[in-house]
Amino acid sequence: FQLSGSGNPRAASHLISTPVRLPNDQSFKPVIGIRLKSNRLNAVVIPMNYSLIPTAGSIFAFRVYKRAITSGGSWVDSAADSSVQYNLAPTALVSGDIAEQSFINSTNQSTGAPTQEPFSFEYQLERDPFTGVAYEYVITMATLGTNQDVYASVEWQEIT
């Protein structure tokens, strides 16, 4: 991996260590989000891959949002030298543009886990140019089942 200019490429990821319980009403719930730190709004950060793993058999729908804003949860620095913060417990999606959406049919035999196209600048983390608010990359999920849990992870590449 080589980019012109200064900075060192760095890959990072974060896994949700406990599953997220999805609502029983088939509504979409944010399960993970990442954004630029407020003091690193000019960083280059590109989400590279995500994984979604249901813990039981059901039909699941997911949506990946870019330029999103969520409410709830807590933003945590990924690392001291990283330009990224993550939120493992956002409670609602306030706004955003759907970048991807699909379905997962999970059975007790197997599950086809979705993954994003590698290294697409289309998903680069952004900020509002007028207010300086960092937009988020957010994954939401819904299910037809009841009391369904899902694991999620996001991996990104950044130039720091």
Side-chain angles (χ1 to χ4, degrees):
F1 179 79
Q2 189 81 23
L3 287 179
S4 60
S6 63
N8 297 317
R10 168 193 168 111
S13 65
H14 189 80
L15 301 174
I16 294 178
S17 57
T18 57
V20 173
R21 174 66 44 103
L22 298 176
N24 292 331
D25 61 3
Q26 300 177 19
S27 62
F28 282 85
K29 174 184 174 60
V31 294
I32 190 168
I34 63 171
R35 71 178 183 189
L36 295 170
K37 288 181 181 176
S38 61
N39 63 345
R40 298 207 180 164
L41 293 174
N42 292 322
V44 176
V45 176
I46 299 142
M48 298 290 291
N49 199 5
Y50 60 81
S51 295
L52 304 170
I53 310 295
T55 62
S58 187
I59 296 175
F60 296 82
F62 70 91
R63 293 178 180 160
V64 178
Y65 287 84
K66 62 182 186 174
R67 296 178 54 93
I69 300 291
T70 57
S71 62
S74 299
W75 288 98
V76 179
D77 291 351
S78 141
D81 62 344
S82 172
S83 298
V84 176
Q85 292 181 311
Y86 60 86
N87 186 346
L88 302 180
T91 54
L93 181 73
V94 176
S95 65
D97 300 331
I98 297 174
E100 227 178 288
Q101 60 184 344
S102 192
F103 297 92
I104 302 169
N105 185 9
S106 175
T107 68
N108 63 354
Q109 300 299 312
S110 67
T111 300
T115 58
Q116 176 179 295
E117 290 284 329
F119 200 71
S120 174
F121 278 99
E122 174 185 354
Y123 298 102
Q124 181 174 342
L125 297 185
E126 301 176 54
R127 63 178 167 83
D128 183 306
F130 301 107
T131 65
V133 172
Y135 288 125
E136 303 162 29
Y137 174 94
V138 177
I139 299 174
T140 65
M141 291 192 73
T143 183
L144 295 177
T146 57
N147 300 322
Q148 299 291 317
D149 296 333
V150 64
Y151 287 94
S153 69
V154 175
E155 183 178 357
W156 61 88
Q157 183 93 34
E158 60 183 277
I159 305 298
T160 55

